[in-house]
Amino acid sequence: MSAPRFILASASPRRLELLGRLGLSPDAVDPADIDETPLKAERPAPHVARLAAEKAAAVAARHPGAVVLAADTLVAAGLRILPKAEDEATERACLKLLSGRRHQVLTALTVVDARGVARHRLNRSTVRVARLEPADVDAYIASGEWNGKAGGYAIQGRFEAHVQWMEGSFSGIMGLPLADARAMLRTAGLNG
């Protein structure tokens, strides 16, 4: 019996790269186009879990009989959800909030198997950022690495030099916790 088609419901090049570390290559990449605005008073964990589930459902509806993997990652400082930084002012605000403190990175996964059964998992990591000097902020902004990233940074790049410690999944902070993804995809009939 052959493996079902595998669809990645994400346009993230990091998620595609991380799947490659598992020896998996999706048959198609089909990003979901959903509204990612938090609901009124929605807390970080329910928000990220809802988005992953909605992305998976939208893409699974377009690919019946396929295994669909969707994920969503957010950075939370307390109960505050940090945005994806897409302009310099937003990036400066994110870095100011992260400087010298701990924050959580939440990545929610939803896998829909070939029968249409959805499974969900939430991965939590904690990151402590050193106090950022104005020169650190300016240099990171000049790198452009932050653009479009949850919370305004990419831990696998230059920003890693500002991380004092972390607890949890490094790949989860990047956007796809590999141990969780592997287990869920195996349950859905894909081996990696």
Side-chain angles (χ1 to χ4, degrees), residues 67-173:
V67 172
V68 174
L69 168 65
D72 195 75
T73 300
L74 68 74
V75 173
L79 295 178
R80 182 174 179 178
I81 298 170
L82 275 66
K84 287 182 182 176
E86 296 185 0
D87 59 62
E88 187 176 318
T90 303
E91 176 61 5
R92 283 190 185 280
C94 286
L95 293 177
K96 182 178 180 183
L97 190 61
L98 295 174
S99 177
R101 67 184 292 191
R102 282 187 274 194
H103 63 275
Q104 284 203 323
V105 180
L106 307 175
T107 297
L109 300 175
T110 296
V111 171
V112 178
D113 69 19
R115 295 167 304 157
V117 176
R119 290 179 179 82
H120 313 278
R121 200 172 277 190
L122 179 65
N123 184 277
R124 293 177 187 263
S125 298
T126 303
V127 178
R128 166 113 177 134
V129 176
R131 185 161 307 283
L132 302 172
E133 299 298 331
D136 298 326
V137 172
D138 291 342
Y140 194 67
I141 287 174
S143 77
E145 179 180 272
W146 51 270
N147 195 7
K149 304 290 191 300
Y153 74 90
I155 196 166
Q156 71 276 17
R158 293 176 179 208
F159 196 79
E160 187 175 3
H162 302 293
V163 174
Q164 291 181 313
W165 60 263
M166 58 155 285
E167 180 178 71
S169 168
F170 188 80
S171 60
I173 296 168

Side-chain angles (χ1 to χ4, degrees), residues 18-79:
L18 288 165
L19 279 173
R21 294 180 189 179
L22 294 177
L24 292 171
S25 179
D27 295 298
V29 174
D30 185 5
D33 184 20
I34 65 166
D35 181 2
E36 297 189 22
T37 306
L39 301 175
K40 185 175 180 173
E42 190 172 35
R43 293 180 181 253
H47 173 70
V48 74
R50 177 178 63 82
L51 292 185
E54 287 181 7
K55 289 175 182 181
V59 173
R62 297 194 293 256
H63 300 276
V67 172
V68 174
L69 168 65
D72 195 75
T73 300
L74 68 74
V75 173
L79 295 178

